[in-house]
Amino acid sequence: AVSRDGILKWTMPLATSVDLIEMTHAEETADGPKNLLQQNVLTYEPNLTVRPMVIYGSTLYGRSTMSKIAAYLEDENLSLVAGVNGSFFDMSTGIPYGFVVTDGVLRTSGNVNSVGFSRNGGVIIGNPDVHIFVSGGPLNNAEVFYNKVLTTGNGIGLYSRDYDTATKNPISAYNVVLTPDSKSELTLPGEMTLKVTKIVENTASCPIPANGFVLSIAEKSTYSSALSSLKAVQVGDTLTFSALCDDMWKGIAYACGGGDLLVEDGEALTSFTLDTKDEQRARTAIGRKSDGTLVIYTADESSNSAGIDLYDLADKMAELGCDTALNLDGGGSTNLAVTTPDSTTATIINRPSETGRKVTNQVFLVASDRSSGRLDHFYVNAAGDYVLAGSAVSVTASGVDSNYIPMDASYTLSASAGSIAEQEDGRYLLTTPASGGDITVTASGR
């Protein structure tokens, strides 16, 4: 469909209540590719068949490609319906800014504007207000950070094997090694008790025991009282860690941090902190409509797409009906992966400025990879194509079961205009009318 504001748009159903919308915006005075904007929109209505997840690699330290995460999903008998990059992160370490929750477990702390998902697919956007406190021995309700790189100015940090096999800190640290009495995971809210088993002084990268933790502070920390308190901890002491958060975020299943809020109470915002807010860049954004629908948006910056600044991005998310929206990492990180209904493998469908960049985490829509074996519909593979009037184009179709997994099924094709004929190799050739116009191709079978 071509709208009055110069947007060419088509929609493809990807899974139950999941649609992909591809849009190309052309300015009325278009005189070159930089006046075009290539955009993709994913919409998801919460349901029990498809669910949103936040996924990272085997550890927080380091980065992963979407293909690596897709392989992980296969091992979990899940298929990637669609997904985009998530948090902003430190390029040298891969550690995300803000907090991360997966499978209901807090993996790293940090308070920035974030997106979270409940187990039934519900969406929340805002600041989670996460705090972790430790008490026991000489420590009295001291606040600590969780699974971030240690500096001389960020106090005491707690590390788990979610971070890596060692703390990998760049500066010398005083380390207290801990093992759990029972529960060894932090939930929001949640509490765990750990016992001090070892002290490791003047060590930058302290090994983290399997199922254990390390409590660290820089040997030259600016927080001298915190350093003294941690050095007073002794082997055998029992420490209790408590994680708290805003009431809205209690029991969240998956979450990751983002950047500036783009939309609030249905209104596009105009005040941003990102240093590239005025620049036309590739962007990734995520939002929620008032009815609970999730909206994921990407805009490309490439040879045939101009990119978009944060002000226009906020307007776009408001136009898409979001009552709240959040900017995610963009630029070379903006990658959108989709599994089309005629395939079982996800591919990058946007045109990013850096294809396949390794990132810290991804926001995925996933479903079971098990076929139902029940034919549900056909996927016609030419949707959204543009061809010259009077020319010919090959058209195929694939059977799709009720779980949106391809299956063998015979079919015939018919066209609303022009002529369509089956070839010797089984494919169909559509000859378009010289008068042009829109053509609907329909696959039928069983």
Side-chain angles (χ1 to χ4, degrees):
V2 183
S3 62
R4 291 182 179 179
D5 58 0
I7 292 180
L8 307 177
K9 180 169 65 175
W10 63 272
T11 301
M12 178 198 302
L14 296 178
T16 304
S17 299
V18 180
D19 287 335
L20 169 67
I21 306 167
E22 183 179 283
M23 301 187 296
T24 300
H25 181 272
E27 298 288 350
E28 292 183 3
T29 59
D31 57 4
K34 282 299 181 182
N35 287 6
L36 300 176
L37 181 63
Q38 304 289 349
Q39 307 157 87
N40 289 282
V41 180
L42 286 169
T43 61
Y44 161 78
E45 297 177 17
N47 64 87
L48 298 179
T49 303
V50 180
R51 57 195 175 105
M53 299 174 68
V54 174
I55 305 177
Y56 60 92
S58 55
T59 61
L60 291 163
Y61 199 103
R63 298 181 285 155
S64 302
T65 61
M66 281 195 172
S67 58
K68 180 179 179 180
I69 302 303
Y72 159 80
L73 291 174
E74 290 178 7
D75 293 338
E76 299 295 316
N77 296 318
L78 296 171
S79 64
L80 170 59
V81 175
V84 293
N85 56 289
S87 302
F88 290 83
F89 60 95
D90 186 308
M91 288 288 289
S92 62
T93 65
I95 299 299
Y97 304 137
F99 86 140
V100 172
V101 175
T102 67
D103 296 317
V105 177
L106 180 65
R107 308 297 179 177
T108 181
S109 61
N111 287 312
V112 297
N113 295 315
S114 306
V115 58
F117 307 105
S118 63
R119 295 198 181 277
N120 63 4
V123 186
I124 181 172
I125 295 175
N127 192 312
D129 196 25
V130 173
H131 298 276
I132 303 171
F133 299 95
V134 56
S135 294
L139 299 170
N140 183 21
N141 217 31
E143 187 162 4
V144 301
F145 64 86
Y146 189 36
N147 285 334
K148 302 292 187 189
V149 175
L150 184 69
T151 70
T152 58
N154 61 357
I156 302 173
L158 179 66
Y159 295 88
S160 73
R161 275 294 185 95
D162 287 328
Y163 187 82
D164 210 322
T165 57
T167 58
K168 291 188 174 180
N169 286 316
I171 55 177
S172 183
Y174 186 87
N175 305 283
V176 175
V177 181
L178 306 154
T179 56
D181 278 352
S182 54
K183 182 182 177 183
S184 59
E185 292 178 330
L186 278 174
T187 54
L188 288 175
E191 186 176 281
M192 65 180 181
T193 301
L194 308 175
K195 183 169 289 186
V196 179
T197 57
K198 188 178 181 181
I199 305 294
V200 181
E201 301 183 52
N202 298 308
T203 299
S205 185
C206 179
I208 303 170
N211 300 317
F213 296 79
V214 173
L215 201 58
S216 301
I217 189 169
E219 292 278 10
K220 295 183 179 180
S221 174
T222 57
Y223 295 96
S224 56
S225 60
L227 178 60
S228 297
S229 295
L230 192 58
K231 286 191 172 183
V233 170
Q234 298 179 6
V235 172
D237 283 350
T238 297
L239 305 181
T240 299
F241 294 83
S242 302
L244 306 174
C245 66
D246 181 88
D247 286 347
M248 293 289 291
W249 293 81
K250 289 181 178 179
I252 205 74
Y254 294 91
C256 68
D260 290 299
L261 281 180
L262 300 168
V263 178
E264 194 169 30
D265 297 327
E267 298 292 328
L269 300 179
T270 57
S271 179
F272 308 114
T273 61
L274 189 65
D275 55 357
T276 63
K277 60 182 180 293
D278 298 309
E279 300 174 13
Q280 288 182 277
R281 294 286 186 89
R283 305 287 183 183
T284 306
I286 195 164
R288 183 201 61 206
K289 295 183 179 183
S290 58
D291 64 359
T293 298
L294 175 69
V295 177
I296 298 175
Y297 171 92
T298 65
D300 289 347
E301 177 197 2
S302 63
S303 60
N304 69 334
S305 183
I308 189 172
D309 64 34
L310 238 54
Y311 304 95
D312 287 341
L313 179 61
D315 289 338
K316 181 62 65 177
M317 296 303 285
E319 290 169 8
L320 290 169
C322 296
D323 66 349
T324 309
L326 174 68
N327 185 43
L328 298 178
D329 192 16
S333 296
T334 294
N335 277 253
L336 171 62
V338 163
T339 302
T340 56
D342 62 343
S343 175
T344 57
T345 303
T347 56
I348 302 294
I349 65 161
N350 69 317
R351 296 181 180 178
S353 54
E354 184 180 332
T355 304
R357 174 190 280 187
K358 293 182 177 180
V359 297
T360 183
N361 53 50
Q362 291 95 357
V363 178
F364 282 164
L365 299 175
V366 303
S368 170
D369 66 356
R370 293 172 182 169
S371 174
S372 70
R374 299 187 302 274
L375 181 65
D376 184 78
H377 62 280
F378 289 98
Y379 167 70
V380 180
N381 190 11
D385 279 2
Y386 293 87
V387 298
L388 290 172
S391 66
V393 60
S394 178
V395 183
T396 61
S398 300
V400 182
D401 76 6
S402 56
N403 287 341
Y404 281 75
I405 295 173
M407 64 180 294
D408 291 332
S410 59
Y411 61 88
T412 58
L413 294 182
S414 60
S416 62
S419 61
I420 191 165
E422 186 174 5
Q423 306 300 295
E424 291 183 0
D425 60 3
R427 294 184 299 173
Y428 283 79
L429 194 67
L430 169 67
T431 301
T432 64
S435 58
D438 293 335
I439 302 173
T440 300
V441 178
T442 303
S444 306
R446 289 171 53 183

